[in-house]
Amino acid sequence: MDNKSVENCVCIMRNLSYHVHKEVPGAEKFQDPSALQAPGSAGPQRKKKDDAGCFGGKKAKGRKNCDNDKSYDTLDLPKRTEPSKGFELLYQPEVVRLYLSLLTESQNYNTLEAAAGALQNLSAGQWTWSNYIRATVRKEKGLPILVELLRSDSDKVVRAVAIALRNLSIDRRNKDLIGSYAMRDLVSNLPSGQQRPAKNLEEDTVVAILNTIH
């Protein structure tokens, strides 16, 4: 898991996914029309207790696990008539599990940074596939995995995770969850908010954290 071959492969995947929402052939036909809505018009909010189960907290009484609750997400993943191939494999929702597995099991800072960076890239932009990626990260319980990595001692890991959370928060439900459960870890990385010996984070990392909080 932590060998150089895995690290190199994940770094390549991250680099290939950069600006994928702009550069893949025919990307314009996947642009999300809802991006033209006014801020705050993304639909009704759910109660915090309904979403908590998808962040590792207690679920509302009488509700099913969010993975099985069809009412939790109104976003239906596409039904494919043939297997994905070529560059399409970069942004399929199934790839989320791969990156989350790496973020959970790897101890290699370079691999962790690259996996978080890949999710950061795939959840950027306003197109259909980034919507799927953002929803899939939530449904696969990826948000608490990312939040835990905010406690990493590696500057580059914290920066990549913070930017990934910012992009994931474009999704309204992710935004509510991140605001409720990640704020303490975000603030604790700021120079004035650290409750332990300072990590000496670089300026770019502090800016990334502030952008996520903002």
Side-chain angles (χ1 to χ4, degrees), residues 66-78:
C66 67
D67 290 338
N68 299 319
D69 183 2
K70 293 183 179 179
S71 67
Y72 180 78
D73 269 311
T74 57
L75 184 64
D76 293 324
L77 296 181

Side-chain angles (χ1 to χ4, degrees), residues 76-200:
D76 293 324
L77 296 181
K79 304 295 188 298
R80 290 191 292 270
T81 57
E82 57 185 35
S84 301
K85 57 185 178 180
F87 62 82
E88 294 176 347
L89 295 170
L90 285 172
Y91 51 81
Q92 297 305 306
E94 293 87 343
V95 79
V96 168
R97 289 186 179 182
L98 169 64
Y99 292 128
L100 293 180
S101 176
L102 289 165
L103 290 172
T104 301
E105 299 180 20
S106 179
Q107 301 297 317
N108 182 329
Y109 288 150
N110 292 329
T111 299
L112 291 172
E113 178 200 16
L119 290 178
Q120 166 194 326
N121 291 339
L122 293 173
S123 58
Q126 296 287 358
W127 75 320
T128 302
W129 291 103
S130 63
N131 288 342
Y132 295 145
I133 293 294
R134 289 189 285 263
T136 302
V137 170
R138 179 177 67 251
K139 295 183 73 174
E140 293 292 337
K141 307 292 184 68
L143 294 177
I145 294 172
L146 289 164
V147 171
E148 184 175 352
L149 285 170
L150 288 172
R151 304 164 196 167
S152 172
D153 292 326
S154 170
D155 177 274
K156 59 187 178 183
V157 171
V158 173
R159 180 167 62 247
V161 168
I163 300 174
L165 288 172
R166 182 189 65 190
N167 289 347
L168 288 165
S169 69
I170 295 173
D171 179 290
R172 184 66 171 270
R173 293 178 190 169
N174 285 350
K175 181 179 180 179
D176 290 342
L177 289 166
I178 292 168
S180 297
Y181 296 97
M183 196 60 65
R184 182 172 65 177
D185 288 294
L186 287 165
V187 172
S188 70
N189 278 300
L190 298 176
S192 60
Q194 294 179 359
Q195 302 299 316
R196 53 186 179 277
K199 292 182 182 179
N200 295 319

